[in-house]
Amino acid sequence: MSEHTDILKQLNSSEPAELREAAFAAGQMKVAEAIPLLAKHIQSSNLGVQEAADRALRQIGGDAVVQAVIPLLRSDDAPLRNISMDILREVGAHDLQALIDLLHDDDPDIRIFMSDILGTSDNRIAVAPLCEALLKDPEVNVRYQAAVSLGTLGFSEAADCLNKAMKDEEWVQFSVIEALAKIGVDSSVNALARALDTSSDLVCSMIVEALGEMGNIKAVSVLMKRLDSSPGPLRNKIVKAIVQILGGKSLNLLVDKERDKFRLYLLAALEDEDEDIQDAAVLGLGYVGGEKASAELMRLAATLDADRDHERLLAIVQSIASIGFNPAIAEVVRTGDEYSVRIAVEAILHMEDKAAVQLLIDEFWSKNRDEQRAIIHALAETADEEAREFFLDVLDRHKDGNVLKSALYFLGERIKSVESGDRLFALLEHPYDDVKEAALDACIALEDPHMVERFRDYHNSPDPLQRMMAVYALGKLGVDENLEILTAALEDEVPDIRKIALESLFQGCSAEFDRLSLVVPRLHDENREVRLALVDLIGGCVSEDVESHLIEALQDSDDWVVVRAIEALGKRASKAGVTRLIELLESESPLVRLKSAEALGEIGGKMAFRALLALLDHEDPELQQAAQEAAEKIRQNEGEGE
């Protein structure tokens, strides 16, 4: 208790530093006797003292704090009132009755404050008094705040009084509507719907938005009935609400007459300035649209910026695709500007419609390069084998690399046209590297024995690029069947070919890997990049037999090869590498030292832990830090070691 006495004495000091210290201690120790003094100090002109007293009162809490702070709400000092409000929002529930009683205070401001604070109480007891304030208080701002707080509380018991309050003046109606939307009970749907008949256009607009957010299907029939009699802006909001409630697919459940009428309203909503309304109309038209809808969606899409409006544009394309191919889309493809054509083609890409595919084939050669790129990309994904001659014609006639790549993809990977093998193979000699790569992938995709023989012949070519393609392709087409050639490629004079041969031979590296003896001599390859590639491949192999070769790689003359080997040993938690890793903590390379420390932390064990502890006073602060983190990792995982 002497401590409490000292704190109370210190709270009477005139020194700000002492006051802050005492307030902090009072809060920590929850000194209830300090509450009156702390309430006094939140009125201090010293911001530090004020904040300390504020914090302490929140920490102490209880009904005494509530009763001490309430009188401050009557202050003429607005900042002080705001602080008091914040405190009561946090601790007011400790004496809820005191707050409820003040809902009948003569001062309307106090009643507003209490209505606000009760909304943060998260207590059903607050519902009844707030409902009484909502329905009976003479001050409109009290009623407004009571509705806001009932919505914040979110208890369904408030729905009845909120429904009744829909007959109040417009300012209160705003908060009532928002509250009902948050609570979302069935009875509120009817109350809101009835209010549509007697409310202003602005309130009706809010009601419609609330019904849409509530998502209750009961509201649909009410909203549908109001479409004909509502002015344009409100009608568009109703359209949005109906789409929100039903979603897209459920619009198809409407009877034919309703669906046809609703389609017209959706088309009108596309003209609204509100993008959210437009987006709802776009979604709805994707399910109930037709040729007219396709045309209007295309018109809207043409006004959007491909970068800024990317998500909206994707939604429109999806809706156009959902409607399907029709004359409106065909007309755009034939006569539209480049931007519109590309949008229409993107939609066709998702349609899988034979008539659309034929149209794109028919129009291809009349279009500019960018349009052709879009068209052939779509065709490569949607056309079937009947389009083979068209794609071969493209290979013969076209010069654009992107167009050629799409044709190669279709003939090779999509339909595996073995009979087109000669044409595909010929493009391995194309001047563009990306076309060569596409042709290589296409040839491999055919999985044709004759193609295998061609690549075997390529392996003997004096052209390094042809040999490289051969090694890559034969690795994809069957390592075991082409093992002799792939092994010979490990001795090729071109380092990149040796790397590709390594990658091929490492395919299927499992616990029983039987090609290790073929590749490990490359650990001494004259080319650093080859050694790096091999260490990466060994590190990713699950076979335990590779660990000795990773340890061997720690002797490499190149720091980066050593670092890759260290990282691989760390990931594998290889105990076999610990001794050498400890030695590398003394490496001349700072990077090697750091990576070794990190790897030892991953591997763990007594030896690693002791070696790391020895570095905690190292002259290199970075190594010190790395060693500390690694040792801490071992400590957390293993205690003090094994």
Side-chain angles (χ1 to χ4, degrees):
M1 292 301 294
S2 61
E3 281 186 280
H4 287 198
T5 303
D6 291 342
I7 289 170
L8 294 172
K9 182 179 178 181
Q10 199 173 344
L11 283 171
N12 282 297
S13 171
S14 59
E15 290 296 322
E18 289 189 20
L19 288 172
R20 288 197 302 272
E21 183 180 342
F24 177 79
Q28 288 287 92
M29 299 175 67
K30 300 187 184 300
V31 182
E33 303 97 306
I35 291 172
L37 290 170
L38 292 168
K40 172 187 170 185
H41 289 314
I42 63 171
Q43 304 173 60
S44 172
S45 58
N46 184 291
L47 186 60
V49 173
Q50 187 184 76
E51 289 178 348
D54 179 348
R55 179 179 178 183
L57 287 168
R58 295 171 193 255
Q59 288 176 309
I60 296 170
D63 56 358
V65 170
V66 175
Q67 290 156 18
V69 174
I70 282 175
L72 302 179
L73 295 174
R74 300 184 190 277
S75 170
D76 292 332
D77 183 356
L80 176 59
R81 292 198 305 272
N82 290 335
I83 291 171
S84 304
M85 289 278 288
D86 283 341
I87 294 172
L88 290 171
R89 287 189 185 102
E90 186 167 332
V91 304
H94 297 169
D95 189 359
L96 210 58
Q97 191 57 51
L99 305 181
I100 291 171
D101 291 344
L102 287 171
L103 282 174
H104 301 286
D105 195 271
D106 291 338
D107 185 344
D109 286 339
I110 295 297
R111 302 201 303 275
I112 293 170
F113 297 156
M114 291 306 107
S115 297
D116 181 331
I117 295 165
L118 285 168
T120 63
S121 66
D122 194 27
N123 195 317
R124 280 185 162 80
I125 293 174
V127 172
L130 283 171
C131 278
E132 184 181 5
L134 172 62
L135 297 175
K136 296 180 180 180
D137 198 287
E139 170 57 43
V140 66
N141 289 317
V142 175
R143 303 198 301 276
Y144 175 90
Q145 184 58 55
V148 171
S149 290
L150 288 168
T152 303
L153 288 170
F155 296 126
S156 59
E157 296 92 323
D160 187 52
C161 71
L162 286 165
N163 292 342
K164 293 175 182 176
M166 279 303 299
K167 297 177 182 178
D168 205 329
E169 58 186 276
E170 193 172 87
W171 175 237
V172 178
Q173 287 178 325
F174 293 158
S175 59
V176 169
I177 293 166
E178 290 183 2
L180 287 171
K182 289 178 181 177
I183 295 173
V185 296
D186 284 359
S187 64
S188 298
V189 174
N190 294 330
L192 289 170
R194 285 194 300 270
L196 286 170
D197 295 323
T198 57
S199 302
S200 67
D201 287 348
L202 179 58
V203 173
C204 284
S205 176
M206 289 189 65
I207 290 173
V208 169
E209 288 183 359
L211 290 171
E213 290 170 11
M214 290 165 71
N216 193 311
I217 199 167
K218 286 175 60 177
V220 172
S221 60
V222 174
L223 293 171
M224 291 289 285
K225 289 174 184 176
R226 295 195 64 88
L227 281 169
D228 290 339
S229 60
S230 298
L234 179 59
R235 185 182 63 221
N236 291 343
K237 284 184 178 290
I238 293 173
V239 166
K240 175 190 170 188
I242 291 172
V243 173
Q244 277 182 290
I245 296 168
L246 290 180
K249 286 185 178 180
S250 295
L251 292 175
N252 285 320
L253 300 177
L254 298 174
V255 298
D256 291 347
K257 185 178 179 181
E258 284 182 330
R259 190 168 63 248
D260 291 343
K261 181 181 287 188
F262 194 63
R263 182 187 299 115
L264 297 176
Y265 292 135
L266 286 167
L267 288 168
L270 278 183
E271 305 289 339
D272 199 282
E273 294 180 357
D274 187 326
E275 289 185 359
D276 289 339
I277 290 175
Q278 289 181 11
D279 293 345
V282 167
L283 175 62
L285 287 169
Y287 292 94
V288 301
E291 183 177 344
K292 172 70 172 173
S294 295
E296 290 303 307
L297 288 169
M298 283 298 313
R299 180 197 58 75
L300 176 60
T303 67
L304 301 182
D305 181 271
D307 296 321
R308 185 186 66 244
D309 304 310
H310 180 67
E311 294 299 322
R312 298 189 69 212
L313 200 55
L314 285 179
I316 292 174
V317 167
Q318 186 57 55
S319 284
I320 294 171
S322 295
I323 293 170
F325 187 63
N326 56 44
I329 301 303
E331 183 63 20
V332 172
V333 172
R334 291 191 185 98
T335 64
D337 59 70
E338 179 184 320
Y339 187 53
S340 297
V341 169
R342 290 167 65 184
I343 293 170
V345 170
E346 181 65 24
I348 289 172
L349 175 59
H350 302 285
M351 291 180 189
E352 298 183 4
D353 185 285
K354 281 199 169 188
V357 168
Q358 189 57 52
L359 174 69
L360 294 182
I361 290 173
D362 293 343
E363 294 295 319
F364 177 80
W365 293 106
S366 66
K367 300 300 181 182
N368 65 37
R369 185 201 64 180
D370 289 339
E371 291 170 330
Q372 287 180 338
R373 286 179 174 179
I375 288 172
I376 201 159
H377 171 70
L379 287 171
E381 296 291 349
T382 57
D384 57 24
E385 292 190 10
E386 293 178 5
R388 175 176 170 272
E389 292 303 320
F390 164 77
F391 280 98
L392 288 172
D393 187 37
V394 169
L395 287 187
D396 289 341
R397 295 169 57 186
H398 222 288
K399 305 299 180 187
D400 180 73
N402 284 297
V403 171
L404 292 174
K405 286 191 291 182
S406 289
L408 286 163
Y409 164 76
F410 175 81
L411 292 165
E413 298 179 54
R414 269 292 313 288
I415 67 168
K416 299 186 183 300
S417 176
V418 173
E419 59 269 40
S420 305
D422 289 346
R423 312 277 274 280
L424 303 183
F425 197 83
L427 283 170
L428 294 175
E429 305 299 324
H430 195 276
Y432 299 162
D433 287 343
D434 57 343
V435 175
K436 281 190 179 78
E437 291 175 10
L440 183 59
D441 288 337
C443 289
I444 293 168
L446 297 181
E447 299 177 347
D448 178 22
H450 297 296
M451 195 65 70
V452 173
E453 292 305 318
R454 288 186 169 192
F455 281 121
R456 285 174 177 166
D457 290 341
Y458 249 29
H459 170 63
N460 298 314
S461 170
D463 183 347
L465 186 56
Q466 290 184 350
R467 297 201 306 276
M468 187 181 302
M469 288 191 288
V471 172
Y472 177 82
L474 293 172
K476 296 290 184 184
L477 290 167
V479 175
D480 291 335
E481 296 85 344
N482 299 290
L483 189 59
E484 184 178 345
I485 291 175
L486 294 173
T487 303
L490 291 173
E491 305 292 337
D492 198 284
E493 62 183 0
V494 178
D496 282 344
I497 295 177
R498 301 201 295 273
K499 282 173 59 179
I500 291 171
L502 285 172
E503 290 167 3
S504 296
L505 289 166
F506 261 93
Q507 290 181 63
C509 182
S510 62
E512 302 297 327
F513 189 55
D514 58 1
R515 296 194 287 270
L516 200 55
S517 61
L518 300 177
V519 298
V520 291
R522 290 300 105 197
L523 281 173
H524 305 287
D525 195 283
E526 63 187 27
N527 184 272
R528 164 185 180 269
E529 296 301 321
V530 174
R531 302 198 306 276
L532 269 174
L534 179 55
V535 170
D536 282 341
L537 291 165
I538 290 175
C541 184
V542 299
S543 172
E544 292 182 5
D545 296 338
V546 303
E547 290 191 4
S548 62
H549 302 295
L550 288 172
I551 294 170
E552 181 183 352
L554 295 177
Q555 308 284 349
D556 199 277
S557 60
D558 185 272
D559 285 347
W560 277 108
V561 175
V562 174
V563 164
R564 296 285 175 82
I566 291 170
E567 290 174 339
L569 288 167
K571 287 178 182 177
R572 301 170 73 91
S574 172
K575 299 287 186 184
V578 169
T579 301
R580 178 57 183 152
L581 289 173
I582 291 173
E583 293 173 2
L584 289 174
L585 293 173
E586 302 297 326
S587 169
E588 294 180 2
S589 165
L591 180 60
V592 169
R593 295 199 300 268
L594 287 172
K595 290 295 183 180
S596 297
E598 291 174 5
L600 287 169
E602 296 287 342
I603 296 168
K606 281 185 178 182
M607 284 181 62
F609 188 70
R610 287 197 295 268
L612 292 167
L613 287 181
L615 295 176
L616 296 185
D617 59 352
H618 197 279
E619 61 185 15
D620 180 351
E622 281 192 81
L623 184 56
Q624 256 189 53
Q625 182 66 27
Q628 181 178 337
E629 291 175 1
E632 178 63 21
K633 181 177 286 189
I634 295 174
R635 188 191 69 78
Q636 290 178 356
N637 292 337
E638 306 175 30
E640 295 185 0
E642 296 175 352

